[in-house]
Amino acid sequence: MRIPSAIHHVGLASLLLAAGPACAGTGHSAYPVASVQLGPRPFFLVNDMPDGKLQRQLQSCAKSFQHYRVSEFSIGHRGAPLQFPEHTRESYEAAARMGAGIIECDVAFTKDKELVCRHAQNDLHTTTNILATPLASKCSTPFQPAVYDNAGNLVTSAKAECRTSDITLAEFKTLRGKMDAFNPRGKTVDEYMAGTPTFRTDLYSGPTSGTLMTHAESIQLFKKLGVKMTPELKTPVVPMPFDGFSQQDYAQKLIDEYKAAGIGAGRVYAQSFLKDDVLYWISKEPAFGKQAVYLDDAGTPADLPTSSDLKAFKAQGINIWAPPTWALLALDAGNNIVPSQAAKDAKAAGLGLITWSLERSGILADGNNGSYYQTIDAAIHREGDVLRVIDVLAQDVGVMGIFSDWPATVSFYANCKGL
């Protein structure tokens, strides 16, 4: 397979032509993107960087660039969920306006085996308003309030579990998306649902927004926006086959919906954490399989594949490996961010690299920035350091693209560097 170049600019004229009439049943149209609009965040991050060559280069771009273009190096992770409810129409549109050339729909299935965009099959209780609707009674685990002792100490955390497979597609479409969060101390549904971290916002989670989408609807929206598509087949939490619906049926249905929409395989980067899904696509749908993405859910460096494992992936026909960001980065003796051994081994094996996900870790200057920075956290001291991370991933590791919860940051860097 010829691995695509790290960046491919989509002309604004073609993007305008791609923006068409309203999707059926949505009630409003995909906006015509006259130009990429990055907003203030990337420029705030540039100014927050430590003084040095990279900051001066990026500052020069910030001063001289008049127009920014869509870039496939910038991948909208669940859309733009730093501020918009993930996997909603509004989140996807925001990602496209910020220059993401590829946008993700995580794919789960409903009770009637229809495909919908959700990060997990069992996250409706944290990503939608289901608990505040009559559909709450259909949840696998209805809401159970937090329990406190007489002294006010928390004894049992609040909990619930609501699955896409608990409800039909028609029922799913009645829900509204909200920011993915919950409050384990909640004694009421309202308290449980009000857990949004302070670095995010509920400003775009009102009763007239948070529009949920089917997988097929996401395809039509992305087609109109002129972006490429990266659906992730989510690992089911129910035993498979589900009512006769096998894992292979599930993997095939995902591809079939692109074929039905007339989307060529070159516009689709199908993903899965299950290697068997990727191997199925390679075997049964080779046009789609040649750029299918094998996601890696390693939690620590010890969990990463060895050099031999990575060579074996390539021998099986896998062309793109997508580990978390920390897996591709390390620190040298001078505390500089450099490519990890896994990154070097993957490139030596001939694998293309995509990585996930930036701008999910809150305020970086607070330190202790979570799993995404675990191998380099000692070198992360301020918000602008995210641009240093992007620079090493792009220039030294050589990734094809970066998932981000706020695509404008990666889009800015990609435009500035040209790659």
Side-chain angles (χ1 to χ4, degrees), residues 169-312:
L169 176 59
E171 291 169 330
F172 174 85
K173 290 290 287 180
T174 67
L175 302 176
R176 310 300 297 186
K178 75 173 192 69
M179 295 303 283
D180 182 16
F182 70 98
N183 174 13
R185 303 181 67 86
K187 292 182 285 186
T188 67
V189 165
D190 286 345
E191 289 179 355
Y192 180 80
M193 293 173 63
T196 303
T198 56
F199 67 87
R200 293 195 169 123
T201 179
D202 289 317
L203 189 61
Y204 305 109
S205 300
T208 59
S209 58
T211 308
L212 300 193
M213 303 199 75
T214 68
H215 177 235
E217 287 172 339
S218 79
I219 293 171
Q220 292 303 320
L221 176 62
F222 298 162
K223 183 178 180 180
K224 288 177 169 62
L225 293 172
V227 300
K228 290 188 177 181
M229 311 165 198
T230 184
E232 180 189 335
L233 196 74
K234 300 305 298 189
T235 303
V237 298
V238 296
M240 299 294 277
F242 174 79
D243 190 26
F245 189 55
S246 70
Q247 186 68 25
Q248 293 75 25
D249 294 334
Y250 181 28
Q252 186 63 52
K253 186 165 186 172
L254 181 145
I255 299 300
D256 287 346
E257 293 197 346
Y258 289 95
K259 290 180 170 181
I263 304 298
R267 294 186 64 184
V268 182
Y269 293 84
Q271 315 170 74
S272 181
F273 282 103
L274 298 180
K275 186 165 68 171
D276 284 348
D277 292 338
V278 178
L279 296 179
Y280 175 87
W281 293 323
I282 291 169
S283 173
K284 302 297 184 181
E285 294 288 350
F288 289 86
K290 70 180 181 180
Q291 63 181 35
V293 180
Y294 181 29
L295 295 162
D296 196 310
D297 61 355
T300 68
D303 301 325
L304 290 170
T306 64
S307 175
S308 295
D309 292 332
L310 293 166
K311 291 176 182 176

Side-chain angles (χ1 to χ4, degrees), residues 4-64:
S5 61
I7 226 177
H8 171 70
H9 287 131
V10 177
L12 294 178
S14 63
L15 193 61
L16 283 165
L17 289 172
C23 294
T26 63
H28 63 284
S29 64
Y31 57 82
V33 180
S35 64
V36 170
Q37 299 178 12
L38 300 181
R41 180 166 173 78
F43 309 101
F44 160 78
L45 294 172
V46 171
N47 289 335
D48 192 60
M49 294 180 70
D51 180 52
K53 180 179 178 181
L54 179 60
Q55 186 197 39
R56 290 190 292 272
Q57 289 175 340
L58 297 179
Q59 284 177 330
S60 177
C61 292
K63 292 175 182 177
S64 62

